[in-house]
Amino acid sequence: MDRDTQMNNLSKQIFTVSVAGLAGWLTSKTGMPLGWMIGAMLATAALSLFKLPMQQPAAVFHVVRASVGAMLGTAFTLELLMSVPKWTTSIAGLLVAMAVMFVLAYVALRRLAHFDRPSALLCAIPGGIAEMILLSETAGADQARVSIVHALRISLTILILPVIIGLTTGLTVSSDQTTEIFTFNVPDFLWFALCVAAGFVAKRFLNVPAPLVVAPMVVSGALHISGLSDFVVPAALSNAVQVFIGINVGGRFAGVTFRALSAVFGSAVVVVAVQISVAFAAATLAAQSMGFDILTMTLAYAPGGLAEMSLIAVATEADPAVVGLHHVFRVLVALVAAPLLLSRFAQAKDQ
């Protein structure tokens, strides 16, 4: 890549981050829940759809995802670790909810939207957007449909979920932080950097789901449980992470035409409506029957992305560690289930 191309790409990235950051800041001033993330997401999606000179700073996203993991780990306590066995019931409930989400969404996509089998299957599985897109390449699915439906699934969940939580529970999902703007001293920053670095090591050497999030979460959790560190992520960094997550979600519409978006939008709305309804019903049942917190359960069962739902948990009174654990499990189940279901469907077609 020549120097002119590099400078052109850099200018596009600076433009994208500047517009997204400004949109996030302005949206946060309106009092909208998760304003930094939602504003950045909508602005980046608009840049993508209108084909303005935007480009995502891809290299930064690895650091951002690792930062989310480190943030989740700060919520780990010894009490939470001792209570892990009781969450097995909740995780079992999540497995049932995922199965119901998949079946209802798959049937709707097949019968109402007339999706082909592989496309309907990959669009109906609530998780693993990157993995579902990669599988679509070899499964004979419509990759554009799979990409758009999952991008809309995450985007619409981010937009709708805070409203549902507010209307049904009276709780407010806010992006306001109680910590100071800058609270990192040198030791805290070094511990935080160690957690982030663990994500890159795991990504390189370990075969685990979402290594950039999981490894920093585990290391950060170990530090806080052991008492070696009690660092808290500053509000400024948390807001910056929200902006970049918003850019990542909105940037998934790059290359998508309005025609392609409109053709799939209705199908995506059906998928999101089905999955959020099932998730909220299951979360309510889990909260009432098992004595769990309704906000934590709603975020834990929601069909959004691991990083996105974890950030919402950090910004609310939910338990971020519990939410993160449930979504790691959801991603793992999706990774295992999708190839098995595709294989089974292929065998049924051959018979």
Side-chain angles (χ1 to χ4, degrees), residues 90-320:
S90 173
I91 289 177
L94 173 61
L95 183 60
V96 174
M98 287 182 66
V100 175
M101 289 180 198
F102 167 73
V103 171
L104 293 179
Y106 176 80
V107 172
L109 290 174
R110 288 283 289 160
R111 296 187 177 181
L112 299 180
H114 306 294
F115 275 34
D116 60 86
R117 276 189 173 186
S119 298
L121 187 152
L122 292 175
C123 289
I125 292 180
I129 177 172
E131 292 77 15
M132 297 306 107
I133 293 173
L134 289 175
L135 282 173
S136 68
E137 295 180 4
T138 57
D142 187 324
Q143 190 172 27
R145 278 183 169 180
V146 175
S147 302
I148 296 172
V149 167
H150 279 288
L152 285 170
R153 169 179 62 84
I154 295 176
S155 302
L156 292 175
T157 300
I158 292 171
L159 290 170
I160 295 171
L161 195 61
V163 177
I164 293 177
I165 291 173
L167 292 176
T168 56
T169 67
L171 299 172
T172 300
V173 179
S174 171
S175 57
D176 293 336
Q177 303 292 319
T178 56
T179 57
E180 297 178 9
I181 296 298
F182 295 103
T183 58
F184 267 171
N185 53 37
V186 173
D188 284 348
F189 177 78
L190 292 176
W191 284 121
F192 177 80
L194 174 66
C195 296
V196 171
F200 287 87
V201 173
K203 186 177 185 297
R204 176 67 176 84
F205 296 104
L206 300 180
N207 185 22
V208 297
L212 282 169
V213 177
V214 173
M217 178 178 70
V218 171
V219 174
S220 177
L223 289 173
H224 285 77
I225 291 173
S226 65
L228 286 175
S229 177
D230 60 353
F231 72 79
V232 177
V233 177
L237 179 56
S238 178
N239 291 338
V241 168
Q242 284 194 47
V243 169
F244 280 102
I245 292 295
I247 292 173
N248 186 42
V249 176
R252 293 189 182 276
F253 294 98
V256 175
T257 64
F258 278 102
R259 182 176 181 178
L261 181 63
S262 61
V264 183
F265 186 80
S267 303
V269 169
V270 170
V271 170
V272 172
V274 167
Q275 293 184 346
I276 285 185
S277 298
V278 172
F280 188 74
T284 301
L285 180 62
Q288 293 178 348
S289 62
M290 304 176 208
F292 297 146
D293 172 58
I294 180 62
L295 178 59
T296 297
M297 286 294 92
T298 298
L299 293 176
Y301 281 29
L306 166 61
E308 293 79 15
M309 295 302 101
S310 299
L311 271 180
I312 295 177
V314 170
T316 65
E317 297 179 357
D319 191 322

Side-chain angles (χ1 to χ4, degrees), residues 10-34:
L10 179 60
S11 63
K12 289 180 180 179
Q13 292 175 12
I14 293 174
F15 174 72
T16 302
V17 173
S18 299
V19 171
L22 177 60
W25 176 73
L26 291 174
T27 306
S28 71
K29 293 301 180 182
T30 68
M32 177 181 289
L34 303 167

